[in-house]
């Protein structure tokens, strides 16, 4: 295990949430990696499978779209994005190197999303920190833990996709429930 010196680790900040009042599913990551921070885009690393996985879920090739169009397409499908960490010291991109973090105001955000039904965590760190931040508020939503889309999480793509397809099942449930109303 590599020792991370907190005195030399840079302070990193997350992006603004990508949401609107139509969001039914909120996907929460931990904190953007180096490539994402450099490009000011969620999941910008070319080996991160986030956009490829979500392309299957919403049946639209997000990987072919410009970044702004990716975000608009997600919102059109009722999917929002944010991170559980607002800022932290971290050397490199690994979640295991996150130190002295300050969380994003998750409870404040979810209260502004009247249609929110599902909160999905992209990876174990996001889930651990997110559930702790949400506390009892988590009980009011479907919680889905997803394997990290990061290339650092070496689970084979096919196995990641199998688990990410639970979002598709949740999306179908939400659609069915809305049609019944």
């Amino acid at each position: 295990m590599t020792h991370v010196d907190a005195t030399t680790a840079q302070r990193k900040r997350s992006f603004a949430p990508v949401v609107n009042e139509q969001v039914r599913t909120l996907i929460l990551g931990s904190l953007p990696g180096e490539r994402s921070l450099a490009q000011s885009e969620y999941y910008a690393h070319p080996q991160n499978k986030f956009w490829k996985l979500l392309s299957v879920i919403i049946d639209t090739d997000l990987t072919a779209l410009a970044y702004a169009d990716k975000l608009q397409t997600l919102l059109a499908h009722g999917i929002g994005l944010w991170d559980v960490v607002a800022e932290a010291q971290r050397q490199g991109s690994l979640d295991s190197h996150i130190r002295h973090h300050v969380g994003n105001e998750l409870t404040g955000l979810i209260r502004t999303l009247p249609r929110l039904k599902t909160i999905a965590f992209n990876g174990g760190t996001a889930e651990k920190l997110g559930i702790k931040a949400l506390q009892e508020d988590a009980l009011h939503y479907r919680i889905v833990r997803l394997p990290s889309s990061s290339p650092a999480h070496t689970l084979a793509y096919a196995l990641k996709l199998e688990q990410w397809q639970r979002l598709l099942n949740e999306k179908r449930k939400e659609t069915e429930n809305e049609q019944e109303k």
Side-chain angles (χ1 to χ4, degrees):
M1 179 180 221
T2 305
H3 174 70
V4 177
D5 183 0
T7 61
T8 62
Q10 294 180 345
R11 197 96 183 138
K12 314 285 171 72
R13 288 179 175 70
S14 70
F15 306 131
V18 177
V19 294
N20 63 23
E21 59 185 33
Q22 304 305 312
V23 166
R24 294 180 306 278
T25 300
L26 179 62
I27 300 175
L28 297 170
S30 54
L31 181 68
E34 294 296 318
R35 179 73 62 95
S36 293
L37 291 168
Q39 292 181 220
S40 296
E41 296 180 1
Y42 280 106
Y43 305 103
H45 194 290
Q47 292 178 349
N48 191 305
K49 300 300 183 200
F50 182 83
W51 298 110
K52 186 176 179 181
L53 291 162
L54 275 182
S55 292
V56 174
I57 304 308
I58 65 171
D59 195 28
T60 301
D61 185 5
L62 294 165
T63 63
L65 300 177
Y67 181 67
D69 295 331
K70 288 176 183 179
L71 299 181
Q72 287 307 311
T73 302
L74 285 185
L75 290 172
H77 283 86
I79 298 172
L81 301 177
W82 206 21
D83 287 308
V84 297
V85 176
E87 63 178 68
Q89 284 182 313
R90 184 184 64 206
Q91 194 168 34
S93 296
L94 296 177
D95 284 355
S96 60
H97 292 174
I98 292 173
R99 302 287 184 266
H100 311 293
H101 77 277
V102 175
N104 271 320
E105 182 50 49
L106 300 180
T107 55
L109 178 71
I110 64 175
R111 290 181 182 140
T112 68
L113 304 173
R115 295 185 173 195
L116 184 64
K117 302 288 183 218
T118 302
I119 298 173
F121 294 102
N122 185 359
T125 300
E127 178 190 32
K128 178 183 169 190
L129 298 176
I131 291 293
K132 185 176 179 181
L134 290 171
Q135 298 178 358
E136 300 86 37
D137 287 329
L139 301 173
H140 303 288
Y141 303 94
R142 289 185 198 100
I143 301 295
V144 179
R145 180 184 189 227
L146 303 167
S148 175
S149 62
S150 167
H153 185 64
T154 58
L155 186 67
Y157 173 76
L159 296 174
K160 286 183 183 185
L161 178 58
E162 183 179 305
Q163 292 183 43
W164 275 71
Q165 285 182 313
R166 291 183 297 164
L167 279 182
L168 182 59
N169 297 336
E170 295 300 325
K171 196 170 178 339
R172 284 186 187 134
K173 285 180 197 174
E174 291 166 7
T175 302
E176 288 169 6
N177 288 340
E178 284 186 13
Q179 288 173 351
E180 290 174 5
K181 292 181 182 177

